[in-house]
Amino acid sequence: MSYVEKVLENLKKQNPNEPEFHQAATEILTTLAPVVEKHPEYETAGLLERFVEPERAIMFRVPWVDDSGKVQVNKGYRVQFNSAIGPYKGGLRFHPSVNLSIIKFLGLEQILKNSLTGLPIGGGKGGSDFDPKGKSDREVMAFCQSFMTELYRHIGADTDVPAGDIGVGGREIGYLFGQYKRIRDEHVGVLTGRGLTYGGSLVRTEATGYGLVYITEEALKARGDSFKGKTVIISGSGNVAIYACQKAQSLGAKVVAMYDSNGYVYDPNGIQIEVVKDIKEAKRGRIKEYAERVKGATYKEGCKGIWSIPCDIALPCATQNEIDVESAKTLVKNGVKYVAEGANMPSTLEAIEVFQKSGVVFLPAKAANAGGVATSALEMAQSSGRMFWSFEEVDKKLKDIMVNIYHNIDNASKEYGYEGNYVMGANIAGFIKVATAMMAHGIV
Ligand code: NDP
């Protein structure tokens, strides 16, 4: 049995009932085989065993009082996975599906993603099974204050800097930051995604979606092509999806469909993103309303049908495992040429295989959606330097980072003999930097 196989087998035995963590670890470790073969010293140093074991995993009770006066209790998590190249960095997810397995899969991915940005940030992730949907602002505030009343003792501007993710946007970050500042009495960059009046960075809101489009644009450019005239499908209608849509359309693409967790809208004339923003950002409504407001648009219940709409480029931007093998086959049959992941692990392992075998250019999440965390690191730099960069400055840095990531993963895929396999390229390029730092630190 190879070193990688042994580590994976042990991981599954030691962490039963964590299917998402197993899935992410399998995807990552199997692609690292050529690297560990080249570096036998990694096995002696137990490097992979240490790489898949979080440095620290914190689980805590989050009690709060709802509007009817009833006490509610949620679970809180922060997994501080790897600090070899910088302080832990990664978002907080508030969604009823959150459990330790999901936070660990996200944390493991985050290590390599953060490494790929070229910036000094380690990997972490956290969240809660709290569902902000349908809650009043006061309830969300009560929850966030309770969550931070435990979390504050584990984080810090040079230790661990959380950010947003599903269910955690500007409103939640504001409440979390307010409570941190109140308890610690310090106004520091302990969270990113902050509002512009209290230390936030321009472009952070747009960063993941814009970054996704920038890296896809570079992949298109490398093949003598562009977004101009392309038909695009974007799943989700949250933070990542909205700004991916906006940027793709500004480059001449036509985005024809988007969804939320209830169903999808199809607009053959091209999605009017201002309408989506009004529904999802301003009113916290349902995407269904789009079809009621825009002539020619239709709405269908259920999400999966979106992948049967023919497109040139698919940008899954909602959640994990939203493209299964069947949806992948349908996309390929209908002529998809590029799939770039805005969400984390939106394609199952089998779906990725279908894309790769069919010659689809597949850009995995840890490279394709790294623009968000990269801009978070730019926010950290501005905070610690007490500076404030213009929109153009941050946007240019973001674009340069995404272009660099593309060439980095492309070069790594070539160097290891897997040209065009960007799952290999991203995992290898991200891992080598972390592994080198871990080896330098000794057995810690
Ligand atoms: P948001 O909460 O803003 O939006 C999530 C969107 O996905 C919503 O439209 C939501 O629908 C939909 N969605 C969530 N769960 C499901 C589900 N089970 N089935 C169908 N649709 C679903 O989150 P973000 O846009 O921030 O995050 C989206 C993805 O991008 C996540 O995987 C996240 O980890 C990843 N990501 C986000 C980054 C960021 O900077 N925000 C950075 C890097 C990755 P509804 O409105 O009905 O809830």
Side-chain angles (χ1 to χ4, degrees), residues 89 109-119 121 203-204 206-216 240 340-344 363-378 397-399 401-406 409 426 430:
K89 180 94 200 81
E109 281 275 307
Q110 196 81 42
I111 303 169
L112 300 182
K113 178 185 312 190
N114 293 1
S115 168
L116 282 174
T117 66
L119 301 166
I121 37 179
V203 194
R204 177 60 190 93
E206 296 85 354
T208 309
Y210 277 21
L212 174 68
V213 172
Y214 289 148
I215 196 170
T216 310
V240 181
E341 298 186 320
N344 283 310
L363 295 164
K366 65 177 70 67
N369 72 22
V373 74
T375 309
S376 277
L378 299 178
K397 286 187 201 315
L398 167 65
K399 189 166 182 185
I401 290 169
M402 298 313 295
V403 167
N404 272 336
I405 293 177
Y406 174 76
I409 65 174

Side-chain angles (χ1 to χ4, degrees), residues 7-253:
V7 174
L8 267 177
E9 190 182 81
N10 207 31
L11 174 143
K12 288 175 188 164
K13 218 182 289 166
Q14 286 185 327
N15 304 276
N17 309 318
E18 296 184 4
E20 294 86 1
F21 181 51
H22 297 175
Q23 184 181 340
T26 305
E27 189 244 87
I28 292 171
L29 291 197
T30 48
T31 61
L32 296 179
V35 183
V36 296
E37 266 162 37
K38 240 190 185 173
H39 293 276
E41 70 277 17
Y42 287 176
E43 183 166 2
T44 317
L47 191 85
L48 287 184
E49 292 88 330
R50 287 189 282 138
F51 178 71
V52 297
E53 191 63 42
E55 289 174 17
R56 197 172 296 107
I58 302 141
M59 292 171 61
F60 51 98
R61 175 172 75 199
V62 191
W64 56 282
V65 181
D66 70 18
D67 284 347
S68 72
K70 191 171 176 327
V71 175
Q72 302 284 344
V73 180
N74 286 98
K75 289 176 184 296
Y77 303 87
R78 185 70 185 166
V79 173
Q80 298 178 328
F81 225 117
N82 192 302
S83 60
I85 64 171
Y88 310 108
K89 180 94 200 81
L92 297 171
R93 176 177 291 192
F94 293 170
H95 192 269
S97 65
V98 163
N99 56 35
L100 188 61
S101 171
I102 288 187
I103 298 297
K104 281 172 70 179
F105 116 64
L106 290 164
L108 186 65
E109 281 275 307
Q110 196 81 42
I111 303 169
L112 300 182
K113 178 185 312 190
N114 293 1
S115 168
L116 282 174
T117 66
L119 301 166
I121 37 179
K125 198 83 190 186
S128 172
D129 59 357
F130 173 75
D131 187 0
K133 222 180 286 166
K135 303 285 190 304
S136 69
D137 283 351
R138 194 212 61 81
E139 287 176 320
V140 171
M141 181 174 73
F143 173 81
C144 288
Q145 290 181 341
S146 181
F147 186 85
M148 185 52 84
T149 302
E150 173 59 35
L151 188 69
Y152 86 93
R153 62 187 96 239
H154 308 290
I155 61 176
D158 293 316
T159 314
D160 182 356
V161 184
D165 190 73
I166 292 179
V168 179
R171 174 182 61 171
E172 290 76 17
I173 292 290
Y175 293 146
L176 290 163
F177 183 76
Q179 184 72 350
Y180 178 89
K181 185 171 69 62
R182 181 189 194 190
I183 299 174
R184 274 278 167 98
D185 195 19
E186 53 180 35
H187 200 298
V188 292
V190 71
L191 289 161
T192 55
R194 282 169 290 152
L196 296 176
T197 55
Y198 60 97
S201 171
L202 285 163
V203 194
R204 177 60 190 93
T205 306
E206 296 85 354
T208 309
Y210 277 21
L212 174 68
V213 172
Y214 289 148
I215 196 170
T216 310
E217 187 187 22
E218 194 61 18
L220 282 154
K221 200 170 133 196
R223 289 157 183 84
D225 210 341
S226 77
F227 265 104
K228 210 165 172 26
K230 296 287 183 299
T231 301
V232 180
I233 287 179
I234 299 183
S235 62
S237 46
N239 174 261
V240 181
I242 285 175
Y243 293 97
C245 178
Q246 194 180 69
K247 183 53 78 177
Q249 291 191 329
S250 78
L251 296 176

Side-chain angles (χ1 to χ4, degrees), residues 262-328:
N262 292 109
Y264 68 92
V265 284
Y266 172 59
D267 186 345
N269 301 316
I271 293 278
Q272 295 176 26
I273 197 61
E274 291 313 315
V275 176
V276 177
K277 283 178 80 167
D278 184 55
I279 295 168
K280 300 301 287 186
E281 287 186 343
K283 305 206 168 86
R284 294 182 190 275
R286 309 308 300 160
I287 198 77
K288 188 179 181 175
E289 293 158 37
Y290 183 93
E292 290 156 15
R293 283 170 57 171
V294 177
K295 224 173 134 204
T298 47
Y299 173 77
K300 281 220 174 89
E301 280 292 322
C303 298
K304 221 179 142 172
I306 201 171
W307 308 118
S308 63
I309 300 169
C311 66
D312 305 300
I313 301 172
L315 304 175
C317 294
T319 194
Q320 63 272 5
N321 294 329
E322 48 177 325
I323 302 185
D324 59 12
V325 66
E326 202 185 314
S327 304

